[in-house]
Amino acid sequence: TAETTVNRIKSQLNRYLDVSEFFQNIIGSGHQMDSKEFQALSQMISDDSQIIKELEEYVTDIALEYLDKEDFRKTKLFREIEQIFLAFPENELIAEEYVSCFSSLDGIEKGKKGKKACEMVEKIYHQYPNNREIAINLTYLLMIRSYELNSNDCNKVILCIQKICEHFPDESEIKEHLEEVNNVYQNKIEYEKLGLHAKLLSEKVAQNPDSTDLILEYIETLGMYAPY
């Protein structure tokens, strides 16, 4: 719990009593730190490996609590994780935990949010290219986003995931994401071909309204097009 974490910090690091009291006051009150407060915290503890370890453990605890609750809104827990990540963007474990929670947010993968989410996680991934969990979350977001893209953009997603897959050749989840995007791409190609064919037939039927063969072909094409 948060109280246990604070007590552990105080017992192990008496010379950093001011830092642990700061943790105690913030965590105990439920206060949401602003950027200035977190900057001050960062400056106080960034050079001490033991306190950083304690902070990492705390972030892991609250990230697990957030995910276990399955309330994937931007709750107080999520905001706290986000603020800590923004204060310590150079800490890989904190970045990993943040990406895991961020990727779970309701609706984060859709529309403009989806594009921004992929761009942000991709930026973090490039900062930590050997982090398997961040890579998995990125390819997941890219996979979900592919459903909304046209075939050209979907192909770009395939290339991106292929590159990540080459870096983690034994990671089954990334392979599954790649396979799904390949399936999505093939469906989009078929959809676009059928759409173009239906449009051409529509124009021909308009020019030859008495052509039974054209009308039947047009109806058949629409029937194939409808499931998409």
Side-chain angles (χ1 to χ4, degrees), residues 34-178:
D34 60 28
S35 58
K36 290 183 179 179
E37 288 173 321
F38 262 102
Q39 185 178 8
L41 173 62
S42 176
Q43 290 173 348
M44 281 191 283
I45 74 173
S46 61
D47 293 331
D48 191 284
S49 59
Q50 184 58 45
I51 297 184
I52 288 295
K53 181 181 177 181
E54 295 289 346
L55 180 62
E56 290 174 344
E57 290 176 358
Y58 174 67
V59 171
T60 298
D61 287 344
I62 60 175
L64 286 173
E65 183 180 352
Y66 174 77
L67 295 172
D68 286 345
K69 285 186 174 181
E70 297 185 354
D71 180 5
F72 299 125
R73 297 172 297 169
K74 290 188 176 182
T75 61
K76 287 183 178 180
L77 276 176
F78 176 82
R79 294 292 187 188
E80 185 170 0
I81 296 165
E82 184 174 53
Q83 285 180 318
I84 294 173
F85 165 71
L86 293 174
F88 301 93
E90 302 302 321
N91 185 291
E92 183 172 353
L93 187 145
I94 292 174
E96 178 184 319
E97 297 291 3
Y98 172 65
V99 168
S100 294
C101 296
F102 177 81
S103 301
S104 302
L105 286 172
D106 288 333
I108 196 64
E109 74 281 359
K110 297 178 181 178
K112 292 182 178 179
K113 285 184 178 180
K115 180 180 180 181
K116 291 180 179 179
C118 288
E119 289 173 349
M120 190 201 75
V121 176
E122 186 173 12
K123 183 178 179 181
I124 297 173
Y125 169 70
H126 286 311
Q127 188 175 357
Y128 304 108
N130 295 319
N131 189 294
R132 187 177 296 266
E133 291 303 316
I134 294 176
I136 291 172
N137 279 293
L138 173 57
T139 57
Y140 167 76
L141 288 174
L142 289 169
M143 178 189 71
I144 299 300
R145 174 149 174 74
S146 70
Y147 299 130
E148 299 183 349
L149 302 176
N150 59 35
S151 61
N152 288 333
D153 289 335
C154 193
N155 188 50
K156 293 177 183 178
V157 169
I158 290 174
L159 295 175
C160 182
I161 298 180
Q162 280 179 338
K163 188 174 181 180
I164 297 173
C165 193
E166 290 170 2
H167 195 62
F168 299 96
D170 61 336
E171 181 50 61
S172 60
E173 285 190 68
I174 295 177
K175 290 180 180 179
E176 290 172 5
H177 297 162
L178 179 59

